[in-house]
Amino acid sequence: MNKIFTILFSFFSWQSLIAQDTRFAQYEFTPLLTNPAAIAADDYMMANIDYRSEQIDQDFTFKATAVNGKYPLFNKEGKRFLAIGLGFASERTEGLGDLNQYGFSSAVAYNHYLGNVWAISGGVGATYSRREFAVDNYTTGSQWVNNIGFVPDAANGETFQNLNTSYFSVNGGLQLYQSDENGEVKHYLGVSVFHFNEPNQSVLEGDEPRPMRYSVQAGVRAYEGDKFAVGPEVIFNNQADNNMLGIGANISYLLSDNNPYSPCLLYTSPS
């Protein structure tokens, strides 16, 4: 197995963000948020952290964090047949009304070889999510006093307290891919669906289903040399009436071709 240094550039993105799940531009590093089948597409153990901070305006900030890890399993012939994944993700706003949502995810994916270079993987996952809305920074007209102005310590005239809820969601996906002679993914096409069960995410009494998210991912290795490879990648997401299209490039550079933990060295194929 080779050690690869990969850079993903997102150079075009079109989206409508309202009521959509949080996503990261480098979606290959967040498989539990993109497609659970992707965790079984290569021989690598992986652990990574993604962080995003966006200043919406002077008084409002959006922050998101994702932690992902995966571990492949091999049979006695050194063939990858299964992978498991664990993840944690959080998103929060800071400013007028603080929304904090976090979730713990798990996934399992099965890999089936269609030949020497082609394979298909299928994965399922589940997520436990907690959603909290703090009203500490919420202000109303009741806190404006005549001849004084705004008084932050004054009662806001509302009786509600901090609001929260918890829910489970289920997801799944498939990925068809081709590998090179080193086991690296060259070309792939994936489809996934999140929130199959459309769980109720309302922090109030009532029904607010989390809409299903449909996703398609694809990538092609357009050029490769001895140590260098580049190719376009695209992802499309649809959730409720909102769409997101992202297009970028995956650039890889081979740092080393020696890996003492390669499954080929852990198992001896039968003669």
Side-chain angles (χ1 to χ4, degrees):
M1 188 188 302
N2 298 320
K3 296 180 181 178
I4 300 292
F5 177 67
T6 302
I7 303 175
L8 298 177
F9 293 100
S10 179
F11 56 82
F12 175 78
S13 179
W14 165 72
Q15 58 186 332
S16 175
L17 290 175
I18 300 175
Q20 289 198 10
D21 292 346
T22 299
R23 289 176 296 276
F24 295 83
Q26 297 183 341
Y27 63 86
E28 283 191 342
F29 300 112
T30 57
L32 273 68
L33 300 178
T34 306
N35 188 340
I39 65 175
D42 60 49
D43 295 339
Y44 289 108
M45 293 182 290
M46 181 194 76
N48 67 281
I49 300 176
D50 291 84
Y51 177 75
R52 170 186 172 189
S53 179
E54 183 177 355
Q55 189 78 32
I56 306 301
D57 59 35
Q58 184 177 359
D59 301 316
F60 189 79
T61 304
F62 174 80
K63 297 181 178 181
T65 304
V67 181
N68 284 264
K70 69 181 184 74
Y71 187 86
L73 300 175
F74 304 89
N75 61 23
K76 293 182 178 180
E77 288 74 38
K79 293 285 189 178
R80 182 182 66 261
F81 72 98
L82 201 71
I84 56 176
L86 295 173
F88 169 81
S90 70
E91 53 188 78
R92 64 186 185 275
T93 61
E94 297 178 355
L96 181 60
D98 294 338
L99 175 64
N100 182 27
Q101 179 165 294
Y102 57 89
F104 298 90
S105 300
S106 62
V108 60
Y110 174 76
N111 186 65
H112 177 70
Y113 291 95
L114 302 176
N116 294 329
V117 294
W118 283 96
I120 187 170
S121 59
V124 294
T127 300
Y128 167 80
S129 297
R130 177 76 174 174
R131 197 181 194 200
E132 302 173 344
F133 185 75
V135 296
D136 298 340
N137 294 327
Y138 186 76
T139 61
T140 69
S142 300
Q143 294 170 280
W144 291 87
V145 181
N146 291 335
N147 302 320
I148 297 178
F150 177 66
V151 181
D153 295 330
N156 60 23
E158 301 292 341
T159 59
F160 54 73
Q161 299 177 350
N162 290 351
L163 309 170
N164 58 77
T165 189
S166 302
Y167 59 89
F168 282 94
S169 61
V170 182
N171 56 76
L174 294 171
Q175 181 165 296
L176 175 70
Y177 64 96
Q178 181 185 18
S179 301
D180 60 19
E181 64 276 7
N182 298 312
E184 306 292 339
V185 176
K186 291 182 62 176
H187 317 304
Y188 67 91
L189 174 65
V191 294
S192 57
V193 181
F194 284 75
H195 314 304
F196 271 120
N197 53 328
E198 294 188 293
N200 183 15
Q201 61 177 351
S202 176
V203 296
L204 300 169
E205 294 183 1
D207 190 24
E208 184 189 348
R210 188 81 170 181
M212 283 193 286
R213 169 164 56 92
Y214 305 92
S215 180
V216 179
Q217 319 91 37
V220 176
R221 186 183 298 177
Y223 170 81
E224 60 180 322
D226 292 336
K227 291 183 174 293
F228 178 79
V230 62
E233 293 190 325
V234 61
I235 182 172
F236 174 78
N237 289 287
N238 169 266
Q239 189 170 17
D241 295 327
N242 303 291
N243 299 288
M244 188 279 290
L245 175 66
I247 302 174
N250 185 323
I251 300 175
S252 300
Y253 183 78
L254 178 65
L255 298 177
S256 168
D257 60 0
N258 296 316
N259 185 354
Y261 302 104
S262 172
C264 296
L265 300 179
L266 296 178
Y267 299 100
T268 302
S269 300
S271 57

